[in-house]
Amino acid sequence: LAYVPKVGSTRWPSARWKMWKRGLLILVCYKAITVVQMFDLNEPQAIVEVLLWKRFPDFSEILQFYAWMMLLLPLILPAFSRLTLWSQLFVAYAVGLGSYLLEGFDFFGVWQLEAVLVEYPVAFCFGVLSRGALVLFGIALGQTLSGREESKLVLSAKLAKTLVTLGAVSLAT
């Protein structure tokens, strides 16, 4: 939400670059933490497999998700922030539905790609698409609650209707 107001302004290029640097830093820290945590209890080959995304440990995978989202959000935010509230919610729902439909797809035999994008049953990993839908919903919700151009009362009513609608749609599927 802190970056959305900067989209389209003269501050956006520096904010975008800052997000990419932060995403890369988180990704490097994720790998460093993984090595430190695995160093005493695992063979060097197991550590190398984790560094090459051949295995996913369960203790720091949330950092990998944060890193990928920080790398992808600068590409998504310019278009997403120009959408209306309903369009943003539809996009968030479509991303979530897309991740659900892709769960059966084998990603050309590359299970690591499946784990990173939509989660994989035998690997502990936060899927970028499946959890990314929640991030997009959160951005839409944050923009609504922070008040774009309309009064807070109108936005609160829209938010209540939106949440009821999404809840009903979620229960129906």
Side-chain angles (χ1 to χ4, degrees):
L1 185 62
Y3 293 101
V4 175
K6 296 175 185 174
V7 172
S9 73
T10 57
R11 299 180 312 182
W12 175 239
S14 65
R16 180 180 56 217
W17 181 242
K18 187 177 181 179
M19 288 176 75
W20 281 332
K21 286 192 303 189
R22 187 165 293 154
L24 288 174
L25 176 65
I26 294 170
L27 203 55
V28 168
C29 289
Y30 153 70
K31 291 299 184 179
I33 289 169
T34 301
V35 169
V36 169
Q37 288 185 330
M38 293 182 72
F39 190 74
D40 286 342
L41 302 174
N42 294 284
E43 297 293 322
Q45 181 61 30
I47 296 171
V48 169
E49 287 178 359
V50 168
L51 291 174
L52 297 174
W53 279 284
K54 292 183 177 182
R55 289 181 26 181
F56 295 95
D58 61 352
F59 42 78
S60 61
E61 284 306 307
I62 191 69
L63 292 176
Q64 178 177 225
F65 169 73
Y66 289 148
W68 288 120
M69 286 310 297
M70 288 299 285
L71 292 170
L72 291 173
L73 275 177
L75 303 173
I76 298 167
L77 276 181
F80 189 76
S81 65
R82 286 190 292 255
L83 297 173
T84 64
L85 173 64
W86 287 105
S87 299
Q88 288 177 343
L89 295 174
F90 176 76
V91 167
Y93 189 76
V95 169
L97 181 62
S99 75
Y100 174 75
L101 296 174
L102 284 172
E103 283 182 10
F105 186 65
D106 72 345
F107 288 88
F108 311 104
V110 183
W111 69 267
Q112 294 90 342
L113 185 59
E114 182 178 355
V116 169
L117 290 178
V118 296
E119 300 178 11
Y120 187 70
V122 297
F124 186 81
C125 192
F126 294 92
V128 171
L129 293 177
S130 53
R131 310 300 169 135
L134 296 173
V135 170
L136 294 176
F137 178 75
I139 291 171
L141 183 65
Q143 282 183 311
T144 301
L145 292 177
S146 68
R148 290 197 235 183
E149 298 118 21
E150 302 172 50
S151 72
K152 296 280 186 183
L153 186 58
V154 172
L155 289 173
S156 297
K158 279 186 180 180
L159 178 61
K161 290 177 188 175
T162 301
L163 292 176
V164 168
T165 303
L166 286 175
V169 169
S170 296
L171 289 174
T173 56

